[in-house]
Amino acid sequence: MAMKRANPEDLDTLAHQAEYAKASGGGEHPNHVENLRNLHSKLVQRRRNLAQDAMHYPIAYMGRGLDIGKLQPVIEAVERAIADEERRAAS
């Protein structure tokens, strides 16, 4: 039995970003800084949950450490985005 080959374009979620990244009821002028701050808060909470999980389940500490290592650059990128949006709003 031959396996069906996947078309890479069908798996490219970034190509479909216009569909899933639409503002949902945000109105004409979304508050970009507030949106980024909310995202930042959720990411920090996720990092804290990972650390807490590592303390409750010591067998998982290495995996949680690696997860935090992958998450931290995202948090830092959101912090830079917040600073950029605040700079843009001030000018």
Side-chain angles (χ1 to χ4, degrees), residues 43-56:
L43 291 169
V44 168
Q45 186 59 51
R46 176 69 177 144
R47 181 183 63 194
R48 291 173 179 165
N49 291 344
L50 289 168
Q52 185 175 6
D53 191 45
M55 294 301 99
H56 286 298

Side-chain angles (χ1 to χ4, degrees), residues 29-81:
H29 302 286
N31 187 337
H32 301 298
V33 174
E34 189 63 29
N35 290 340
L36 287 166
R37 285 187 180 143
N38 288 336
L39 174 60
H40 182 269
S41 177
K42 289 178 182 184
L43 291 169
V44 168
Q45 186 59 51
R46 176 69 177 144
R47 181 183 63 194
R48 291 173 179 165
N49 291 344
L50 289 168
Q52 185 175 6
D53 191 45
M55 294 301 99
H56 286 298
Y57 305 102
I59 192 112
Y61 80 94
M62 182 59 86
R64 296 302 173 253
L66 293 171
D67 292 340
I68 291 169
K70 293 175 187 174
L71 184 58
Q72 187 61 34
V74 177
I75 292 171
E76 292 167 1
V78 172
E79 289 169 350
R80 289 191 305 274

